[in-house]
Amino acid sequence: MPTLTRAEAADRAAVVDVEDYHVDLDLTADGDTFRSRTVVRFRARPGAATFLEFEPVEVASMTLNGVPVPSGASTGARLELTGLAEENELVVDALMRYSNDGEGLHRYTDPADGRTYLYQHLFINNAGRVLPSFDQPDLKASFRVSVTAPADWVVATNGILVSREGGRWEFAPTKRISTYLASLIAGPYHVVTSEHDGIPLALYARAALAQHLEAQAPEILQLTRQALDRFHEMFEIRYPFGHYQQAFAPEFNFGAMEYPGLVVFRDEMIPRSKVTDSERERRANIIAHEMAHMWFGDLVTMAWWDDLWLNESFAEYLGSRVTAEATRFSDAWTTFAMQRKAWGLRADQRPSTHPVAPSEVSDTDEALLNFDGISYAKGAAVLKQLVAWLGDEAFLTGLNAHFESHAYGNATLADLLGALSKASGRDLSGWAEVWLRRAQVNTLRAEVTRDGANYAEVAVAQTAPEGYPTLRPHRIGVGLYDRVPGGGVVRRKRLEVELEASGRTVLTALAGEPAADLLLLDDGDLTYAKIRLDPGSAANVPQLLPLLDDSLSRAVIWAAMLDAVVDGERPVAELVTLVLAALPMETEVAVVEDVLRATRGLVDRYATPETRPAALELVAQAADRLLAASMGGSSRQLAAVRGLIGATVDTARLRGWLAGDGVPDGLTVDADLRWLIIYRLSVLGAADSEIIEAEREQDRSASGEQWAARCRAARPDAAAKEAAWAAVIGDGSLSNRLAELTAAGFWQPEQLDLLEPYVERYFADMPEMMRVRSGMSAEHIAVVAYPTVAVSARTRELAAGLLGTDGLNPILRRVVQDSDDDMRRALAARG
């Protein structure tokens, strides 16, 4: 699809004001096309010209104000209009093409029963794949949708259903929304309905998931009600879009999308196998995140994509906050500290770093690239710091004033800062300049000197990267932890301090204080920064970490230790030793899962081929000890088992579990756990194609199809690798999700000799993949197909060669730049 520049969008907004769309879709025909008849009413500057995004297969008719539009006006990507009147009506009848890449109108056939499902995803610049539209966020309009579908289908949209006769569905006009927020699902979806506080609720999932949806609906609906109640306590404007529907759709590119009135989730959020409590918490967080968008993004929408953070940073912050405050998942901030903030820190230190609120996003291609850990997690952590600085009352007062001023319209950073400054009595321009307009991250390092058993001086040294020398004000907690008789650890003291935007802040309140066994900076995780412990505290971590009662404090320590390894300040061998010593006693499942995942990734890249087997064996031992210490049937047990499967080379034990032999008490080897075992056996060369296909025959579900694709790609077999590579690079008929999972299974550190030729092929072949696919699907594939485990100077040379190519796709350029920087770190750590 074509990119839209900011200059084009500004020019168009100066010419037109859109009133409404009436979209009439006929989804009954066979084949790969559908009929779309659209009536667009808009005002314009008389005599002016403009364009709409429009990508038809075939145009039946086009009229503007009753006059036929020349066929040459439709270029295949845009529809050019001239001679506009003050009041205009464009009517277009066309055939459009279904997609299999998760954008436009995506069509999916469920292998479980052969039924077809559709969902609409017009994200950023895909509206033209369904209807002619003015596809930019500040040209809001009302949408009225009509659909003709097979008689046994269910159809839902943003709007409330007005009537249904057979396969004909009519929906009420929506409030004014941006084009990228227009939503639709259609197919034989299973439906669960409810109501809360006068708001109709509905859940949708594929028929093959009906049993699982029914079983999980009470929890999902309870979380929905709890989140709605909390948002209504916080915000003076009630939920503004009538009904609140949540659809779980197959192969959705995002985890979820905030369509007003009809939120769409990837249907993996309706698991068919047992999951951990942290995975349930993640679903709760996503439900709250998408609901936050009803205010941030839907009610008040950014004027252009440079203010993406007004959508995603606020939804990320409020998702964790509301989950922690309103649901049973009260430790949601622990998960944020371990997982989400680490994502932001990694993104912020790569070559592609950018400010939370960049001053310029030139076009929609650049906007797509900014859907990253900075716009989501860093922005949320910065907001958490802002609330600690301003106070919650002033923060919420400012937000409510912002909503009141810009409801159903668009707003900018300046608009929000004005509302917050007025509510707090503080000028936020300086704060915004260093926190929102400047990239990269600070490091806060504890510097301790002692006078005998007491502190002579405790200081916090703040540094910034050489190329990004900004120092920032930080409000942080400082915790002092001591061993106590009986083997426990207590927090003796915690103080909150203001760090000035200078290189070093002395904590005068700690002078003369008895020295603690552990001094923890950013205790409570209030700020966004990299944390480094003083040498004495770091030396005590292996003994003290398992004994800390507070999961958030443990998360801050684990995150700091992992980050020090990522930066090459501490060796991966030290991390593995810490994992073996401390992780078996960890009780917070989110911490267990993230430590195992992060450690496994660091072992695969930072350990040399000679040292990796021993390091991986220690990870397996840690998981095994955790398994032995876990209650049967618990989330902790399941997390330990998954970690063990991913690290072990004991194929006999894994085969035994598949056969039901030696299975730990309380553990159910269900469908997805079976596939995880077969995946590991495939990597180790202990599961051939016959085993994979036999399991696939037993599991004719969508999940089974996806697992089988990943397992086939993971086998250490030359023919299997060639088939997988060909599918990833050039098979446009392969759906987005199957292509991504095939790529995800391809690279294995156990198979470096076999994979060596594909290192060069990545850099030669990936530009072709970018021509076959586009948008977010292409980005996902480029990332997971990167040869991250082929850590060598040669890989970096090949990356440099591709980056020197003129006209390189900007998505691919960014992926290669960032992945190459990760490899730079891995090589430095090995050195």
Side-chain angles (χ1 to χ4, degrees), residues 50-74:
T50 191
F51 66 91
L52 296 86
E53 282 75 12
F54 186 41
E55 302 179 53
V57 175
E58 178 183 314
V59 176
S61 64
M62 297 186 291
T63 62
L64 177 64
N65 300 326
V67 178
V69 176
S71 59
S74 177

Side-chain angles (χ1 to χ4, degrees), residues 21-241:
Y21 297 88
H22 179 200
V23 187
D24 191 340
L25 302 178
D26 187 337
L27 309 176
T28 58
D30 294 329
D32 62 355
T33 60
F34 61 95
R35 176 177 164 271
S36 171
R37 183 182 187 276
T38 305
V39 179
V40 190
R41 297 193 307 138
F42 62 99
R43 293 181 294 276
R45 191 170 64 229
T50 191
F51 66 91
L52 296 86
E53 282 75 12
F54 186 41
E55 302 179 53
V57 175
E58 178 183 314
V59 176
S61 64
M62 297 186 291
T63 62
L64 177 64
N65 300 326
V67 178
V69 176
S71 59
S74 177
T75 64
R78 289 179 173 180
L79 173 57
E80 306 283 348
L81 299 179
T82 59
L84 298 176
E86 184 174 354
E87 300 281 344
N88 299 274
E89 182 177 87
L90 173 69
V91 182
V92 177
D93 195 338
L95 281 182
M96 314 297 286
R97 193 177 307 280
Y98 292 114
S99 79
N100 69 347
D101 61 6
E103 297 171 343
L105 191 57
H106 182 92
R107 184 174 61 175
Y108 174 80
T109 300
D110 191 343
D113 54 21
R115 298 182 180 184
T116 298
Y117 296 87
L118 309 176
Y119 67 80
Q120 180 174 285
H121 186 52
L122 306 186
F123 176 68
I124 289 196
N125 60 341
N126 282 288
R129 298 173 71 169
V130 175
L131 71 152
S133 61
F134 297 100
D135 196 9
Q136 61 190 70
D138 59 337
L139 290 179
K140 285 186 162 184
S142 173
F143 280 78
R144 180 163 69 92
V145 177
S146 306
V147 177
T148 302
D152 62 337
W153 280 21
V154 171
V155 181
T157 72
N158 309 90
I160 294 173
L161 180 65
V162 174
S163 67
R164 178 195 178 184
E165 293 185 16
R168 181 66 177 173
W169 300 69
E170 297 283 352
F171 297 90
T174 68
K175 302 282 190 179
R176 292 177 66 84
I177 60 174
S178 300
T179 46
Y180 78 93
L181 294 172
S183 182
L184 176 145
I185 63 165
Y189 282 92
H190 183 73
V191 188
V192 175
T193 60
S194 187
E195 182 272 343
H196 179 64
D197 196 17
I199 301 169
L201 307 178
L203 306 175
Y204 302 87
R206 288 180 287 125
L209 293 175
Q211 175 185 353
H212 303 294
L213 180 65
E214 289 285 348
Q216 297 170 47
E219 178 177 336
I220 295 170
L221 291 170
Q222 180 187 34
L223 293 166
T224 302
R225 296 181 185 109
Q226 290 169 331
L228 278 168
D229 288 345
R230 183 67 185 111
F231 280 116
H232 286 161
E233 291 170 358
M234 297 166 70
F235 299 152
E236 294 168 3
I237 296 179
R238 283 174 53 84
Y239 170 68
F241 295 105

Side-chain angles (χ1 to χ4, degrees), residues 3-10 51 78 136 304 361-364:
T3 189
L4 176 70
T5 69
R6 181 173 189 165
E8 289 175 319
F51 66 91
R78 289 179 173 180
Q136 61 190 70
W304 179 247
V361 172
S362 61
D363 57 34
T364 50

